[in-house]
Amino acid sequence: MENSASPTVISRRRALTVAGGVVAGAALAAQALPAFAAGSADADAIVVGGGLAGLVATAELAAAGRKVLLLDQEPESNLGGQAFWSFGGLFLIDSDEQRLMGIKDSRELAWQDWLGTAGFDRGVEDPGGQDYWAHKWAEAYVDFAEGEKRSWLYGLGIRWFPIVGWAERGGGLADGHGNSVPRFHVTWGTGPAVVEPFEKQVRAAVASGKVTFKFRHRVDEIVRAGGVVTGVRGAVLEPSTAARGKASSRTVVGDFELRAPVVIVTSGGIGANHDLVRQNWPARLGTPPKFMVTGVPAYVDGRMLGITEAAGGRIVNPDRMWHYTEGLRNYDPIWANHGIRILPGPSSMWFDATGKRFSAPDMPGYDTLHTLESITDSGYDYSWFVTTQKIIAKEFALSGSEQNPDLTNKDILKLLSRIWQTPEPIEKFKKNGVDFVVASSLSELVTGMNRLTGDGLIQLADLQRQIEARDREIDNPYTKDVQVMGIRNALAYTGDSLSRTAAIHKILDPSAGPLIAVRLNILTRKTLGGLQTDLSGRVLDASGAPVPGLYAAGEVAGFGGGGVHGYRSLEGTFLGGCLFSGRQAGRAAAAAI
């Protein structure tokens, strides 16, 4: 029986268990690796994909003295992958930043939240179950987030904004979905600052001859001989000067075959491949939207999932995915159909396409996938925020490093300006974005909403009735309106009251205006299922046995085990999943070679 009063002891014991599993797995893998003749291999390891997980795995291999080939179909401008574009949020437990904000967190509370959110139900106790290794990865990751994650990253120079964000606040029950406390730590410098230390390590290894970049090398096959992975083959694409995030040419100018006793697949998910998204769309989330905006560059195409499966790897939980419900069409797109997510505070009113207000837990920032289901159930592929200038000034943030120049560029003065003015990126979207309607009266707002969609679904009298009903609930410090309760709950947390929640007010209060309606589109983003891996990152086959020489990490592996998040995410866990699984796979592979 675990001693719940001694989380440090628990954490150390579990950490030792994980470490022991990695060492044992490495020993077994070493026995199964092909005996390459001296000089016959091109490297000790091949890493397929230059995103965050690939950089971390490569850095670990190089630090252990291994020779690595890092392949990517994109040009060098895209090194760091999707992580570069991220907001840089990281899930930490009982951190210095949390304690500074008066947040009382613990490993036990976080594990309760993770289990209530993940909902693992596919053979957790069965070694052949889809959730068997996912559950083990989840437990190991929670230990990591409560243990050495912060000190490891801090030692690499990564720092965090001191106000901890409160994402995915949940479905209303203590043991159900959502974060009981704020855990979303925004990296000072956003996504680029998370990528930077690992890119530096890899570039230093390139300079010392330990790592060789192979950009514009598209892997089309993982080569096996006698059931053992021996390398990769594929096509060399023509050189490209495409800027980061821009689509690059797929013109083939040659082919290649490279040999190594270890191949680590870190190629990302399927978010830019809408055909694959719809193909894997689960019935529980309703009918796939006819229109979606895309939250990732075109190279997040899912190709390596099928290629790795053809080499013997098992794909599990392909129907689990994470798409946002607050997507905007980018007025200045970087990639095709580029979508930007609003990270909302708790105060905007949320309506379906017909103007019917959503009920709990479909409130801003509470339960992403439940709200996605409610939107698809409405029969439309969009919804609306109805809000005020006072709310968006304090509560709207936009996902992405490029949408947060103050945080990304570590500009303290610009960051402080959020106190007295609406952030410039928000104002630019309000002015230039096709999804915004701004009006001085509710009747003018409804006219603009119906003009924007062209379907005339919003009725003024009905919308006014619902907003006025909500506004009457503001007069007392207590209420039966769950969203108003949530606003007051948010204001009780210092971090939200300082930076993420507007003073409570009536939507129709003229002094809070103008009124603003925002059409929200479904935004594709993350693959939660993927290649099943053990705690060493070894890819498993249909029988549950490791495919000799084959590893995977990051989103292609469901961020660990083929689905460390289960059905839903607590947020801040995608970058962290790439960091942890990349480190696990890199260290285990280095030990096995």
Side-chain angles (χ1 to χ4, degrees):
M1 187 77 176
E2 292 169 354
N3 178 7
S4 61
S6 304
T8 304
V9 173
I10 291 171
S11 211
R12 287 176 179 169
R13 182 168 71 248
R14 287 189 175 135
L16 289 171
T17 300
V18 172
V22 171
V23 173
L28 290 171
Q31 297 173 19
L33 291 177
F36 282 84
S40 65
D42 297 292
D44 297 316
I46 295 170
V47 176
V48 182
L52 181 59
L55 288 174
V56 174
T58 300
E60 292 291 342
L61 286 160
R66 308 296 183 253
K67 183 179 178 183
V68 188
L69 298 177
L70 179 54
L71 279 58
D72 201 295
Q73 67 179 355
E74 296 306 309
E76 188 171 357
S77 58
N78 284 284
L79 194 63
Q82 176 58 20
F84 180 90
W85 298 107
S86 74
F87 197 37
L90 292 169
F91 176 93
L92 297 172
I93 301 166
D94 193 25
S95 69
D96 291 358
E97 289 76 18
Q98 285 177 301
R99 290 192 289 272
L100 178 66
M101 297 305 299
I103 300 164
K104 297 178 181 179
D105 199 6
S106 68
R107 194 262 178 205
E108 288 76 17
L109 184 60
W111 183 235
Q112 170 183 299
D113 289 347
W114 196 289
L115 289 179
T117 296
F120 295 121
D121 60 2
R122 296 174 175 174
V124 172
E125 302 297 331
D126 176 9
Q130 294 188 75
D131 279 340
Y132 180 78
W133 285 105
H135 183 274
K136 289 185 179 296
W137 270 93
E139 191 167 19
Y141 180 75
V142 169
D143 287 336
F144 174 63
E146 185 267 340
E148 64 174 313
K149 180 180 179 181
R150 186 187 185 282
S151 60
W152 175 56
L153 295 174
Y154 192 92
L156 293 171
I158 294 177
R159 301 293 184 267
W160 298 275
F161 185 59
I163 296 178
V164 183
W166 196 352
E168 283 298 294
R169 303 182 190 211
L173 295 176
D175 59 354
H177 167 59
N179 286 292
S180 297
V181 297
R183 298 191 178 103
F184 191 81
H185 296 66
V186 177
T187 301
W188 186 232
T190 66
V194 178
V195 172
E196 182 181 9
F198 302 101
E199 181 178 347
K200 283 183 176 179
Q201 289 178 30
V202 171
R203 289 194 182 278
V206 170
S208 67
K210 290 294 183 186
V211 174
T212 300
F213 285 137
K214 294 283 186 181
F215 296 108
R216 306 297 284 156
H217 279 59
R218 186 187 70 199
V219 173
D220 297 325
E221 181 185 357
I222 295 173
V223 182
R224 297 178 73 188
V228 174
V229 168
T230 59
V232 298
R233 64 170 63 104
V236 178
L237 306 178
E238 69 177 353
S240 172
T241 59
R244 183 184 291 275
K246 296 288 186 180
S248 62
S249 163
R250 292 295 179 260
T251 300
V252 175
V253 295
D255 54 37
F256 69 90
E257 181 168 349
L258 297 167
R259 290 168 53 82
V262 160
V263 172
I264 305 180
V265 179
T266 58
S267 54
I270 68 173
N273 188 333
H274 287 199
D275 290 338
L276 269 182
V277 169
R278 291 190 175 95
Q279 178 183 320
N280 291 289
W281 192 273
R284 65 181 177 275
L285 293 181
T287 303
K290 294 179 181 178
F291 175 78
M292 298 180 285
V293 290
T294 307
V296 291
Y299 56 72
V300 187
D301 54 19
R303 290 184 70 255
M304 286 303 301
L305 280 162
I307 290 168
T308 311
E309 186 178 32
R314 181 191 186 195
I315 295 175
V316 295
N317 302 311
D319 62 325
R320 292 179 183 170
M321 51 186 68
W322 188 256
H323 305 305
Y324 290 110
T325 50
E326 312 100 332
L328 304 173
R329 301 174 218 218
N330 195 345
Y331 67 88
D332 186 20
I334 296 170
W335 51 82
N337 194 31
H338 187 178
I340 295 293
R341 183 202 175 198
I342 297 173
L343 286 75
S347 301
S348 297
M349 295 185 71
W350 205 337
F351 299 87
D352 71 12
T354 68
K356 179 183 177 183
R357 187 184 179 192
F358 289 123
S359 58
D362 302 329
M363 302 178 296
Y366 276 75
D367 193 330
T368 294
L369 289 197
H370 192 283
T371 309
L372 176 57
E373 181 182 355
S374 296
I375 292 170
T376 56
D377 283 349
S378 76
Y380 298 89
D381 52 18
Y382 69 92
S383 60
W384 291 100
F385 275 169
V386 173
T387 188
T388 66
Q389 181 69 34
K390 186 174 181 178
I391 290 172
I392 74 163
K394 194 164 186 180
E395 295 193 8
F396 275 27
L398 299 174
S399 64
S401 53
E402 82 284 9
Q403 298 297 331
N404 294 275
D406 48 358
L407 288 165
T408 301
N409 298 324
K410 304 180 181 180
D411 188 330
I412 294 175
L413 289 178
K414 184 173 285 189
L415 180 64
L416 290 175
S417 73
R418 294 191 185 207
I419 296 172
W420 62 81
Q421 65 182 15
T422 307
E424 184 180 5
I426 299 293
E427 281 297 322
K428 285 184 176 180
F429 261 93
K430 193 181 79 172
K431 178 181 178 181
N432 303 312
V434 297
D435 296 305
F436 279 76
V437 179
V438 182
S440 57
S441 69
L442 189 60
S443 60
E444 183 185 343
L445 190 76
V446 169
T447 299
M449 294 165 74
N450 286 328
R451 183 188 304 117
L452 177 60
T453 60
D455 51 24
L457 293 173
I458 307 297
Q459 300 298 312
L460 172 60
D462 191 42
L463 193 69
Q464 183 169 344
R465 174 188 60 79
Q466 295 174 87
I467 295 174
E468 287 178 344
R470 178 267 188 197
D471 281 358
R472 292 187 189 103
E473 300 292 312
I474 305 299
D475 291 333
N476 293 290
Y478 39 83
T479 177
K480 71 175 183 180
D481 189 293
V482 176
Q483 185 178 5
V484 175
M485 292 181 198
I487 297 168
R488 297 196 189 281
N489 190 44
L491 290 169
Y493 165 50
T494 303
D496 273 353
S497 64
L498 286 174
S499 67
R500 293 288 287 139
T501 305
I504 196 163
H505 62 276
K506 297 182 178 183
I507 298 293
L508 297 180
D509 179 355
S511 68
L515 289 168
I516 299 165
V518 188
R519 178 178 56 185
L520 305 173
N521 307 281
I522 306 303
L523 174 73
T524 64
R525 186 59 66 84
K526 295 298 180 186
T527 311
L528 298 189
L531 298 167
Q532 192 171 42
T533 58
D534 64 12
L535 286 175
S536 296
R538 296 180 299 171
V539 176
L540 307 178
D541 64 19
S543 71
V547 179
L550 186 59
Y551 294 72
E555 191 172 351
V556 75
F559 302 94
V564 67
H565 297 94
Y567 286 94
R568 292 180 290 191
S569 168
L570 287 171
E571 290 285 22
T573 53
F574 299 127
L575 290 178
C578 290
L579 293 167
F580 185 55
S581 62
R583 194 177 79 154
Q584 290 285 98
R587 290 182 178 183
I593 297 168

